[in-house]
Amino acid sequence: MICTALNTQRIVIVALCGALALPAIASAEPTREDLKRSVELRETWQYLTRDIAWPAAWMPDGKSFSYRKTVEGGFAFETVDVATLNKAPAFDQQRLAEALSTELGEPVTALRLPFEEFAYDDTGQAITFAIHYEGWRCTITDYQCAQQIDHRRPRGFGVVRDLSVPADNRPRVSPDGAWAAFVQDNNLVLRKSGEASIIPLSEDGSEGNFYDPETISWSPDSRHLMIYRVKPGYPRHVLRVEAAPEDQLQPKLNSQLYPKPGDAVDLEQPVLFDVSARSHEDIDRGLFPNPYQLSDPHWRSDSKSVAFDYVKRGFGQARIISVDAQSGATHAAVTENAKTFVYADRRFSHDVGNLGQEIIWASERDGWNHLYLIDGKTGRVKNQITKGDWVVRDVVKVDDDKRQIWFAASGMNPGEDPYFRHYYRIDFDGRHLTALTPARADHVVRFSPDMTLYVDTYSRVDLPTISELHRASDSSLIATITKGDISRLTAAGFRPPEVFKAKGRDGKTDILGLVVRPQNYDPTARYPVIENIYAGPHDSFVPKDFWPFGYHSGGDKVIGMQALANLGFIVVQIDGMGTANRSKAFQDVAWKNLQDSGFPDRILWHRALADKDSSYDISRVGIYGASAGGQSTLNALLFHGDFYKVGVAMAGCYDNRMDKISWNEQWLGWPVNDSYAAASGVDNAARLQGDLFMIVGEQDSNVDPASTMQVVDALIKADKDFDLLVVPGGEHTVGRSSGPIDYVTRRMSEFFIEKLQ
C-alpha cells in the first residue's frame, strides 16, 4: 500500500509500506546542491587522470612524434624521439596560449589549450589544428597564430554557391608556366606569361550559366584544361531573428544560405578545352544525367584523361567518370549502384599510379564495406581485396609500388565488440592479410611518414588508454609510451560504464549499449531509466574508447550520463539498427524510415536488461537527445509512447523537409516523397503521449529553428501539453551558463526528476 505521498519543490516522493516483496523505489530527493555537483562533475573529475594519451602526430622527417596527455591540472603536449625514446615538451604551451589568447580575444591557459590533436606542417616548424571547427595555424618558433581562411566561394551544404561572395578568381598557372587561366565576364580566358593581352576561350558564359574559376584544372602537360560551367541552383535562405543581441538593443535579422531537400542544386557542366586549338567541348552527360554533386576534375599523371566523381540525386548511384583528353569521350571507370543508398560520405577510391588503369574502390555490394580492385578501363572487378562479415572502416595508406594497403576494420575478431577498430595490411590480390593490433580494444594507429613505424593508441571504456610504438614490418613492440593512470579518478568514485548486449528485432543480431548507474547505486532499490539517444544513420555513437569526458567538439559522453545518473537514475546509451559501422542490411533499416531510430531493437534491449536486473524500472523510461537525437526523442513519444514516458528533445530536425539538403536526401532520397512525412514530428504531432520538453537555440545554424516552432504549432492545434525553452542567441548546442549551474542542463535534470521520480 501507499503510506505517504509528499510533494516538495515539485518533486513527488512516494514511500511504500507493508510487506510487499518489491524492491524499494529510490527516493532520496535531489537537492539544488545535488544538481550543482551533477553539472560540475565533468570539471571536478576530468583532471584526476594521468598519462591518458591522444593519437600521435608524426614530424615530417619521421624521427619523432607528439601527442597530448593528461597531467596535473590539465593536458601537456609531449614529443618522443624515436631513436632514444627521450621525451620532451612538444612546444612552449605558455607562449602558444598567449598567442591564442591574443587572436581569440579570450583567455587561454597553457594546460587547457582548446584542441586535442594537431598536425605538423611540411616544415615541422608550425602546427595546424581546429578550434570550434575552424582551422588554425601556429608557428612553434616565434609563436604567431592565424586562422586559416578558405578563400573559395562558400557553398550551401556543398551544392549551391553563395553568389553574394566573389569566387576565388586568382589566375591558375599552367604546369609549364606558360599560361594563366581565369574567368572574365563569366567566360574562361587565357593570358600568356609576361603579357597583358587576354585570349578568350569561351563565349557562352553568362550570369545564369557561368564558368567557375574555382574548378579550373590543368592537365600536367599544359595542353588541356577542364572547367565547370554552372547553372545556379535555388538560393534558399533561412531567416532568424536575434531577439537579444549583445551589441544593440533592437533585434537583428540574420540570413543563411540553406538549401533544403528537393531544392534545385547547382548544375555543373564539365567543359574540356584544348589550349593550342582554342577549342572546347561540353562533356556528354549521358553517364551523369542527374547529379547531386560532382567532384572537382582530377587529371591523370600521363595527361591522357581527366576524371571526376559523380553522385546521383537520390544517392542510388556513384561513379567515377573518365574523360579522354583528345576526343572528350567518356566512360564509367567505376559504377556503384544500390537498391537503397550509396553512403556518399564513406566512399573511398584510389587511382593506382594515377593512370586510370586500376582503381581501389570501397563498396558494400556484398553486404559489407570492403575493398575491390577495379579495371579502370572497363569498370569490371578484377578481384575483391577484402572479404568477410566485417567492415573496412578507413584506408590509411595505399602503396602502389608494393601493391599493399594499410586499413582499419571492425568486426573481424569473433567474440569481440564488433565496433572495435583494428588495423591490418593486405596485398592488392587479397593475400597476406596481416593483423597489426592484437589487443582486445578500440585502436587508433598513426604511421610514420615512411610507414616503417606506428604508434598504437588503444583503450576500452573499462581500460585506460595505452600508447605503444611498434615496427610496421612485424608489428613488434618497441616501447610502451604511456599507460593511463586513473587511480585518483577511481578513488573519487568513478566506475566504468557496463557493457550490455541483447538480441535485436531479428532475434540474432547483437545490439550493444552502455549502462551508467548512480555512484550511490543500491541494487535493492528501483531506478527510473533514461536513454541518451543519437540514432543518425551516418555513424555509430556508443563510446568504445576510455576517455569518458568528451571532447570540445564531441559532447560530454559518459560523464554527462554519470552526472544525470547521480540524480537517481540509470542512464543508458544504445546503438540500434539503422546506424553505421555494421552490415549494409543493419544500416539500411534507416532508408526512407528515419522514424524507426532503431526503437524495436532499443526496447528489446531495455526489456532484456530489466529481465536480468530488478533495479531497472522500465515502467519509468525517459529519453533525451539533440539534433537527430532530438528528432528521435520526439519520435519515441509519438510512435512508442506506451514505452517511453518522458522526453527532452533539443535542437531537433523534427521534419526532414525543413532540414539541410545533404543529410536528409542521403537517408530519405529524392524526390521528396511520403517517407519525409512519415518521419515528421509535425504531421504526427497528434500522436504525442507522455511528457515532452523541447529546447532550441534561437540562432541554430545547423537545423532551422523554425522546425521546432512548427512542431509547437502542430502540438497546440492538437491540444497537446508540452514544455518549451527557447534560448535567445543560442546556437545548435543550445547551452548558456547561468551562474554556477548551466541553465539548460539544470532545466533538463529538473524535468526528469519531476516527471520520472
Side-chain angles (χ1 to χ4, degrees):
M1 67 177 183
I2 296 179
C3 186
T4 61
L6 174 65
N7 190 337
T8 304
Q9 294 181 354
R10 301 169 64 213
I11 301 174
V12 179
I13 303 169
V14 179
L16 296 180
C17 304
L20 294 176
L22 292 173
I25 294 177
S27 60
E29 177 183 353
T31 65
R32 186 60 177 257
E33 283 302 309
D34 292 329
L35 282 167
K36 184 176 185 294
R37 281 192 295 271
S38 170
V39 173
E40 293 178 348
L41 188 63
R42 183 177 191 268
E43 185 69 17
T44 302
W45 278 5
Q46 182 171 213
Y47 306 108
L48 297 180
T49 68
R50 297 293 177 269
D51 292 327
I52 299 290
W54 271 252
W58 284 86
M59 281 285 283
D61 60 11
K63 295 180 179 179
S64 62
F65 59 86
S66 305
Y67 51 86
R68 185 176 90 148
K69 70 173 187 178
T70 56
V71 295
E72 181 74 35
F75 307 93
F77 288 87
E78 191 168 67
T79 292
V80 176
D81 183 286
V82 170
T84 65
L85 299 180
N86 291 335
K87 298 178 180 180
F91 44 78
D92 189 327
Q93 292 187 211
Q94 182 59 44
R95 291 187 66 185
L96 188 61
E98 292 170 357
L100 283 174
S101 296
T102 300
E103 294 298 328
L104 293 170
E106 59 187 50
V108 175
T109 59
L111 292 181
R112 311 284 176 90
L113 294 174
F115 57 91
E116 292 87 31
E117 297 184 51
F118 68 86
Y120 287 102
D121 73 357
D122 292 339
T123 69
Q125 302 299 305
I127 60 173
T128 59
F129 50 86
I131 301 176
H132 303 307
Y133 305 105
E134 301 290 345
W136 285 81
R137 180 181 185 275
C138 293
T139 60
I140 52 176
T141 50
D142 57 359
Y143 292 88
Q144 299 295 313
C145 293
Q147 188 173 341
Q148 295 181 299
I149 305 300
D150 187 349
H151 296 283
R152 294 173 297 177
R153 171 183 275 157
R155 300 187 191 185
F157 303 115
V159 294
V160 177
R161 290 162 172 81
D162 185 351
L163 300 183
S164 69
V165 178
D168 179 5
N169 197 22
R170 292 173 296 168
R172 270 63 174 183
V173 179
S174 60
D176 64 6
W179 299 98
F182 56 99
V183 169
Q184 184 171 282
D185 297 328
N186 298 305
N187 278 291
L188 181 65
V189 300
L190 281 181
R191 184 170 59 210
K192 195 170 182 62
S193 179
E195 298 182 5
S197 59
I198 299 298
I199 302 172
L201 289 185
S202 72
E203 296 179 346
D204 54 347
S206 66
E207 189 172 332
N209 196 14
F210 59 88
Y211 285 88
D212 182 356
E214 296 179 348
T215 66
I216 294 172
S217 181
W218 281 98
S219 64
D221 64 7
S222 303
R223 294 177 57 189
H224 296 87
L225 63 80
M226 180 173 276
I227 185 173
Y228 291 166
R229 193 174 63 243
V230 181
K231 290 182 179 179
Y234 174 57
R236 181 188 297 277
H237 280 76
V238 164
L239 302 177
R240 298 187 299 269
V241 174
E242 188 175 356
E246 296 184 357
D247 59 347
Q248 66 183 50
L249 175 63
Q250 296 300 325
K252 291 180 179 178
L253 182 64
N254 297 318
S255 176
Q256 178 186 359
L257 180 64
Y258 194 104
K260 294 186 177 184
D263 286 350
V265 300
D266 288 352
L267 182 61
E268 298 172 321
Q269 170 63 59
V271 185
L272 180 66
F273 285 82
D274 185 316
V275 174
S276 59
R278 308 287 192 266
S279 63
H280 67 277
E281 179 179 359
D282 285 4
I283 302 304
D284 180 70
R285 304 181 63 85
L287 290 175
F288 53 102
N290 183 22
Y292 173 77
Q293 195 172 47
L294 302 181
S295 70
D296 288 344
H298 167 73
W299 283 89
R300 270 61 182 264
S301 57
D302 60 6
S303 297
K304 292 181 179 180
S305 62
V306 60
F308 53 87
D309 293 352
Y310 159 69
V311 177
K312 186 178 182 180
R313 194 85 187 258
F315 293 88
Q317 184 182 75
R319 274 181 167 148
I320 295 178
I321 307 296
S322 184
V323 182
D324 184 87
Q326 294 299 323
S327 67
T330 62
H331 75 273
V334 186
T335 297
E336 187 73 23
N337 293 311
K339 293 180 180 178
T340 54
F341 61 86
V342 175
Y343 188 5
D345 288 347
R346 292 284 178 93
R347 283 175 302 141
F348 172 82
S349 65
H350 172 80
D351 193 333
V352 179
N354 193 25
L355 294 172
Q357 303 294 322
E358 293 179 311
I359 295 171
I360 307 293
W361 178 259
S363 168
E364 293 182 291
R365 63 188 65 187
D366 76 346
W368 303 83
N369 192 48
H370 282 299
L371 300 176
Y372 294 77
L373 183 63
I374 307 292
D375 185 322
K377 292 298 184 182
T378 66
R380 296 192 182 98
V381 175
K382 297 182 71 172
N383 62 269
Q384 185 171 350
I385 300 171
T386 63
K387 190 173 185 179
D389 293 351
W390 47 272
V391 296
V392 173
R393 295 283 294 271
D394 184 37
V395 176
V396 178
K397 170 76 172 180
V398 178
D399 189 319
D400 293 342
D401 295 329
K402 294 182 179 179
R403 296 181 72 80
Q404 291 181 327
I405 304 169
W406 285 260
F407 66 97
S410 58
M412 197 184 299
N413 300 331
E416 191 177 88
D417 187 315
Y419 295 95
F420 282 171
R421 292 166 294 176
H422 289 272
Y423 287 73
Y424 304 88
R425 183 177 61 247
I426 196 169
D427 294 344
F428 280 14
D429 61 6
R431 300 174 61 200
H432 302 123
L433 176 65
T434 303
L436 303 176
T437 53
R440 296 172 66 88
D442 186 56
H443 296 256
V444 178
V445 166
R446 297 289 167 79
F447 288 88
S448 62
D450 63 4
M451 301 298 292
T452 61
L453 303 169
Y454 62 88
V455 179
D456 180 13
T457 305
Y458 62 92
S459 68
R460 300 187 303 264
V461 292
D462 63 343
L463 174 68
T465 308
I466 297 171
S467 181
E468 299 172 341
L469 178 64
H470 290 257
R471 291 183 184 86
S473 58
D474 58 3
S475 71
S476 59
L477 176 66
I478 296 173
T480 298
I481 304 303
T482 65
K483 191 171 184 178
D485 179 357
I486 63 167
S487 56
R488 293 175 62 191
L489 180 64
T490 302
F494 171 78
R495 297 294 180 270
E498 304 163 32
V499 178
F500 183 75
K501 66 180 178 181
K503 297 302 180 183
R505 69 188 78 181
D506 60 2
K508 59 182 181 180
T509 302
D510 285 337
I511 303 298
L512 283 84
L514 293 181
V515 184
V516 179
R517 303 178 188 274
Q519 285 180 259
N520 61 354
Y521 171 70
D522 178 0
T524 66
R526 293 272 284 174
Y527 291 89
V529 175
I530 299 175
E531 180 180 343
N532 170 16
I533 190 169
Y534 195 97
H538 55 279
D539 211 341
S540 54
F541 305 98
V542 174
K544 300 299 173 183
D545 59 353
F546 173 76
W547 186 247
F549 303 104
Y551 305 87
H552 292 287
S553 59
D556 281 340
K557 291 181 72 176
V558 170
I559 198 64
M561 297 164 65
Q562 184 67 69
L564 191 55
N566 284 353
L567 297 175
F569 304 97
I570 296 176
V571 185
V572 302
Q573 188 175 8
I574 311 160
D575 278 324
M577 290 187 184
T579 51
N581 301 323
R582 301 285 288 274
S583 68
K584 173 68 170 166
F586 191 99
Q587 191 180 23
D588 272 352
V589 169
W591 175 243
K592 295 182 180 293
N593 186 32
L594 286 184
Q595 68 273 20
D596 182 276
S597 293
F599 283 123
D601 313 299
R602 297 169 187 278
I603 292 171
L604 287 171
W605 188 96
H606 283 290
R607 295 191 186 282
L609 183 53
D611 287 344
K612 293 178 177 292
D613 183 351
S614 61
S615 71
Y616 197 78
D617 186 357
I618 58 169
S619 70
R620 296 181 290 162
V621 180
I623 187 169
Y624 72 97
S627 196
Q631 179 184 27
S632 295
T633 296
L634 175 61
N635 285 345
L637 301 186
L638 298 182
F639 302 109
H640 302 279
D642 56 335
F643 185 83
Y644 293 96
K645 303 301 192 295
V646 182
V648 178
M650 297 171 280
C653 42
Y654 304 113
D655 189 311
N656 301 96
R657 296 164 293 194
M658 287 288 292
D659 194 26
K660 63 192 76 65
I661 187 173
S662 53
W663 195 85
N664 295 278
E665 285 196 10
Q666 168 71 83
W667 311 117
L668 292 172
W670 178 91
V672 174
N673 59 19
D674 292 344
S675 65
Y676 285 78
S680 168
V682 176
D683 292 3
N684 293 285
R687 304 173 60 122
L688 180 70
Q689 298 182 63
D691 296 299
L692 172 66
F693 183 16
M694 288 191 295
I695 304 172
V696 64
E698 174 199 61
Q699 295 302 308
D700 191 334
S701 61
N702 185 300
V703 173
D704 185 349
S707 185
T708 296
M709 302 314 294
Q710 289 184 358
V711 175
V712 167
D713 179 61
L715 291 172
I716 291 171
K717 290 175 178 176
D719 196 28
K720 296 290 185 178
D721 293 338
F722 60 94
D723 286 68
L724 172 68
L725 171 62
V726 179
V727 180
E731 247 286 358
H732 193 55
T733 50
V734 293
R736 268 191 175 179
S737 294
S738 177
I741 298 178
D742 177 86
Y743 184 78
V744 170
T745 304
R746 175 175 67 80
R747 289 290 306 276
M748 180 181 79
S749 301
E750 290 177 339
F751 189 79
F752 280 129
I753 291 168
E754 176 186 353
K755 301 300 183 181
L756 286 177
Q757 293 182 353

